[in-house]
Structure formats: C-alpha cells, structure tokens
C-alpha cells in the first residue's frame, strides 16, 4: 500500500512540476509579448514625436521667413510712401505755409484748395 501511495504522490509531484513549468513558460511568453508590445508602442510614439517636432520646426522656419518678408515689404512700403508722398511738416511760420519734402527737394505751399472731382 505504501508503494501505491508513493507512486501516486510521485505522479502528483511530477504533474505539479509540469504544471508549474508550463505556468512559468506561459508567464515568460506573456512577459516577452508585453515587452515587445511596449517597445513597439514606444517606437510609434517616438516616431510621432519626431514627426511632430519636424513639422513644428518647419512651421517655425516658415513663420520666420514670412516675418522677414513682411518686414522687408513694410520697409519698402515706407520708402515708397516717403518718395511718393514726400514728408510734410506743418511749419509754425507767420504765413502758415506747409513745407513738403519730396525726394530731398523742399516745396512750400501757401494756399490750399479742395480738389475738384
């Protein structure tokens, strides 16, 4: 009878070892799968982040280029206004004349009249 008990116990122990080994292998596989999944997700996030940073850099460069162009256009406009319109300054003269400078030449205007349509 004790031999039968020993055989049953040995069989139980062996089955238990096999079940534990299978469980350990299953856990190892799940851990590897999880690690692989995490690495893949981290790679995807890093790629999206790199793409986002590249797009941000491109946009910042474009904004800087447009700001420089606008600044140059504004400067050109001011130069054109200066040339076309001249610089007018109200003089505190006794005759009330208005001095206008156009392209470096000074003109005096003593009388104003409304433009005819």
């Amino acid at each position: 009878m004790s031999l039968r008990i020993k055989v049953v116990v040995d069989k139980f122990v062996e089955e238990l070892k096999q079940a534990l080994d299978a469980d350990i292998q299953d856990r190892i596989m799940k851990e590897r799968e999880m690690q692989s999944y995490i690495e893949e997700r981290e790679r995807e996030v890093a790629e999206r982040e790199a793409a986002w940073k590249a797009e941000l850099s491109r946009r910042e460069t474009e904004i800087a280029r447009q700001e420089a162009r606008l600044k140059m256009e504004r400067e050109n406009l001011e130069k054109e206004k200066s040339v076309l319109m001249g610089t007018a300054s109200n003089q505190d003269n006794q005759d009330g004349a208005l001095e206008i400078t156009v392209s470096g030449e000074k003109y005096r205007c003593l009388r104003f009249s409304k433009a005819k349509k």
Side-chain angles (χ1 to χ4, degrees):
M1 184 88 163
S2 71
L3 190 56
R4 281 187 180 169
I5 293 175
K6 183 174 181 345
V7 169
V8 170
V9 169
D10 286 344
K11 185 178 178 186
F12 174 75
V13 169
E14 186 61 34
E15 288 174 356
L16 187 59
K17 282 182 183 180
Q18 289 175 354
L20 284 173
D21 285 344
D23 187 51
I24 289 171
Q25 290 300 320
D26 187 48
R27 287 178 186 227
I28 290 171
M29 289 299 292
K30 284 182 181 178
E31 187 176 325
R32 285 182 185 161
E33 288 173 0
M34 184 58 74
Q35 188 62 34
S36 176
Y37 172 78
I38 289 170
E39 289 170 359
E40 177 67 20
R41 290 290 294 140
E42 286 175 343
R43 185 185 61 75
E44 290 172 0
V45 168
E47 286 175 358
R48 279 200 313 271
E49 182 180 19
W52 180 83
K53 284 181 179 179
E55 178 66 15
L56 178 63
S57 176
R58 187 190 67 74
R59 287 182 180 183
E60 287 172 341
T61 301
E62 178 65 19
I63 288 169
R65 187 182 67 76
Q66 288 181 4
E67 285 176 341
R69 192 177 99 219
L70 287 172
K71 181 180 176 186
M72 196 168 35
E73 286 180 16
R74 183 174 286 126
E75 289 170 357
N76 289 340
L77 176 64
E78 290 302 319
K79 287 178 187 175
E80 286 179 34
K81 278 174 42 180
S82 169
V83 168
L84 295 174
M85 300 297 290
T87 348
S89 57
N90 192 0
Q91 300 294 317
D92 190 17
N93 297 328
Q94 290 178 348
D95 60 1
L98 176 68
E99 279 191 7
I100 300 173
T101 307
V102 178
S103 300
E105 304 242 355
K106 288 189 178 186
Y107 299 90
R108 286 181 52 117
C109 185
L110 295 172
R111 191 167 149 223
F112 296 97
S113 63
K114 193 172 188 179
K116 295 180 181 178
K117 292 184 181 180

